[in-house]
Amino acid sequence: MSRSKETAIAEGSLDIGHARGAKTGNSYIEGLRDSREVWLNGEKVDVTTHTAFKGNLTELARLYDLQHTPALQKQMTFVSPDTGNLVSYSYSLPDSPTELELKWRNSHIWMENSWGQLPRLPDFMSNVMVGVYDYRNELGLADPRFKQNAVNYYTYCREHDICLTHALGDPQIDRSGGPAIDPDMALRVMKETADGVIVCGAKQLATLAPVADEVLIYLSPSFAMREHKEFVLWAALPLATPGLKVLCREPQSHANEACGHSHPFAWRYDEQDAMLFFDNVLIPWERVLLLYNSEIAAKGFERINAWSLYSGQIRFYHRLQTFIGVASLLAESIGVNGFREICNSLGELASYAQMTKLVLKGLQQEAYLTNGGLYAPGDTTASGVFAAQVSPRLVEILKEIAASGLVMQPSEADLSNPELKPFLEKYMRGKDIDVYQKSRLFRLAWDLAGDSYGMRQELYEHWYRGDIVRNRINLFAQYDCKQIKQKLKSLISKPIQP
């Protein structure tokens, strides 16, 4: 197993002396019982008791518990080189292609067991921290403290199995001018003190923040390249930090609905998104990873996300598997699975899944040794563009197959009503499937293709890898077509010789 060459220094809030390693479901939820200030629908809430978070917390706890099952423990954990704790494989530092494969084996377990429905699973941000560790030497060029801080914070996260979110974007106020015109448009450093930096402002969009342990703040390349240094900051802090307010969006788990369809995916996998408001928040020096250096911040974005974006492609593969399964069962349930146009659509889904599978294998084959001494997968830009392009089509195919059945399904209360029961069993059953299973199947499809939950998932799929237009432009700018252009120029340099 990979061993860090630097040893973390137990300092202040980054102490690892009492760390217990890989979380259990219970320790995860207990860790959320703190002083965090979370706002939902105009009220301060306790995320561990509020019904809007119950389903998602239950699922995340179940996933954490997988790390301790006899069947999966060796695949999901390894022995820490610093403490001897069993720690999550999501935090492994792959120093060989074999270790990289073992790392992805763990990611597949997380993604498969959540149906590809949780883009901000702990495995995603744990892999960002692997990237921060890998980028430690470059951070040290800005200030030697930042290199050690990166090592310390990575080790702290690994030993405590920290559930992280990130906050990258500026608030959507007026992006025609930027923070140089109005400083409230971005998070900024107000002043430095002996204890750390004081920051004010806001960040979006922090998915999972209400139920995460900590938040990692950094910048996308377009936000990093700014003239005014006070807007350039990489840092980490607990969600329970004084002065930090977390504003939740409207829940899509439908936990409080008394009637209508049940929502099997939405209830379990509604990852809360949040705005973060920083009201004169102190970030201790030991938690500052980069300050004021736009060039290092811009170059570091791709580097630190190399592992997390591959993990995201693994998730997309399992999301595809879920869509294929639901679409196939829908077609069978109403007897259209033999229709030519339906088979064509199912084949289209299968082609996306197969291409994604091949992409994952190809990126693994293109693994390379970084300047930080770790093996990283090949560039995921093209695969990210592909996923963002085809994701809307997955929803369209479910709608085409299910048709009006997406809308008209009995509720669980309808199914349990003895007066309605004979009518439902006679007129709302399917082909070789009873009304009970059929209605629940169509509710799965509704969650994916018709409900606000599914539309949020689709919006996330489109944007979380960044602007698709920018990514295409960057992809072509980096693509080497010199040889083929030269061959073509040679071909047209003289007339055809008959």
Side-chain angles (χ1 to χ4, degrees), residues 92-248:
S92 69
L93 301 174
D95 56 6
S96 70
T98 299
E99 286 298 326
L100 194 59
E101 289 180 8
L102 293 175
K103 185 176 190 61
W104 301 141
R105 181 181 65 178
N106 170 67
S107 295
H108 274 286
I109 294 171
W110 281 94
M111 306 309 174
E112 182 179 6
N113 279 277
S114 54
W115 307 87
Q117 295 298 301
L118 288 174
R120 196 58 57 81
L121 265 176
D123 182 71
F124 180 85
M125 282 303 300
S126 300
N127 275 299
V128 173
M129 281 311 305
V130 170
V132 170
Y133 174 88
D134 184 66
Y135 200 55
R136 64 199 182 283
N137 292 326
E138 287 82 351
L139 296 174
L141 296 177
D143 188 319
R145 292 178 299 174
F146 299 154
K147 174 182 178 179
Q148 190 61 57
N149 287 355
V151 175
N152 290 354
Y153 188 64
Y154 157 78
T155 308
Y156 167 79
C157 289
R158 182 190 67 197
E159 297 301 325
H160 290 277
D161 204 3
I162 294 296
C163 179
L164 270 174
T165 184
H166 66 37
L168 308 182
D170 295 341
Q172 286 182 316
I173 301 173
D174 179 2
R175 293 187 173 175
S176 63
I181 297 174
D182 183 352
D184 287 334
M185 293 183 185
L187 183 70
R188 68 189 187 278
V189 176
M190 304 299 290
K191 64 178 179 179
E192 298 182 23
T193 72
D195 296 322
V197 294
I198 306 293
V199 300
C200 281
K203 278 287 186 182
Q204 69 174 53
L205 186 63
T207 299
L208 200 68
V211 296
D213 296 321
E214 303 208 0
V215 59
L216 180 67
I217 301 163
Y218 57 108
L219 302 166
S220 64
S222 57
F223 291 148
M225 296 305 293
R226 287 168 169 159
E227 297 179 9
H228 300 273
K229 67 178 186 178
E230 66 267 26
F231 298 107
V232 180
L233 169 71
W234 286 15
L237 67 163
L239 268 302
T241 298
L244 175 58
K245 299 179 187 295
V246 181
L247 176 65
C248 302

Side-chain angles (χ1 to χ4, degrees), residues 255-478:
N256 295 317
E257 289 192 1
C259 62
H261 297 312
S262 61
H263 296 271
F265 278 148
W267 187 82
R268 292 173 172 87
Y269 302 121
D270 181 24
E271 290 181 310
Q272 256 292 346
D273 304 297
M275 286 286 295
L276 303 183
F277 303 125
F278 299 79
D279 185 14
N280 289 304
V281 171
L282 170 66
I283 303 178
W285 281 116
E286 66 200 56
R287 287 174 166 274
V288 177
L289 304 175
L290 183 63
L291 200 60
Y292 306 146
N293 194 308
S294 294
E295 183 178 356
I296 292 177
K299 290 181 179 179
F301 182 81
E302 182 178 353
R303 176 80 164 272
I304 71 173
N305 282 286
W307 294 268
S308 64
L309 289 175
Y310 188 95
S311 171
Q313 286 303 113
I314 292 175
R315 181 201 54 79
F316 184 67
Y317 172 73
H318 289 286
R319 176 171 163 82
L320 281 165
Q321 293 291 339
T322 297
F323 269 84
I324 291 173
V326 172
S328 300
L329 288 173
L330 287 175
E332 293 169 9
S333 75
I334 55 176
V336 299
N337 52 307
F339 291 13
R340 178 179 173 85
E341 62 272 23
I342 299 298
C343 292
N344 176 60
S345 294
L346 293 173
E348 184 179 344
L349 289 176
S351 72
Y352 297 151
Q354 185 65 9
M355 282 189 282
T356 303
K357 181 179 180 180
L358 293 173
V359 163
L360 290 172
K361 290 184 176 181
L363 293 176
Q364 178 73 8
Q365 288 297 313
E366 291 185 353
Y368 64 97
L369 189 63
T370 70
N371 294 335
L374 304 182
Y375 271 85
D379 185 8
T380 60
T381 304
S383 58
V385 168
F386 171 76
Q389 287 175 170
V390 304
S391 187
R393 181 61 182 147
L394 312 184
V395 174
E396 290 176 9
I397 289 174
L398 283 193
K399 290 179 179 179
E400 291 169 0
I401 295 175
S404 61
L406 276 180
V407 176
M408 190 61 246
Q409 293 297 326
S411 68
E412 289 294 338
D414 294 330
L415 292 170
S416 62
N417 187 297
E419 187 174 347
L420 288 172
K421 182 178 178 180
F423 295 94
L424 302 181
E425 290 180 340
K426 183 175 183 179
Y427 297 115
M428 301 195 76
R429 71 189 191 281
K431 180 183 179 183
D432 301 324
I433 186 173
D434 62 38
V435 63
Y436 306 98
Q437 293 184 62
K438 180 190 173 188
S439 62
R440 291 165 190 153
L441 169 63
F442 272 76
R443 288 173 203 155
L444 282 176
W446 175 257
D447 267 358
L448 294 172
D451 186 62
S452 59
Y453 162 81
M455 296 307 95
R456 179 267 174 196
Q457 296 290 87
E458 175 52 37
L459 186 64
Y460 187 100
E461 204 70 64
H462 183 85
W463 285 108
Y464 96 91
R465 303 171 186 88
D467 180 2
I468 189 172
V469 175
R470 182 198 67 199
N471 289 341
R472 287 192 190 117
I473 291 171
N474 290 341
L475 187 63
F476 180 72
Q478 298 167 11

Side-chain angles (χ1 to χ4, degrees), residues 19-41:
R20 297 182 179 180
K23 272 186 168 69
T24 63
N26 184 65
S27 66
Y28 163 63
I29 293 176
E30 284 301 312
L32 302 177
R33 302 185 195 277
D34 54 24
S35 60
R36 68 186 58 208
E37 187 177 340
V38 177
W39 291 81
L40 176 64
N41 197 28

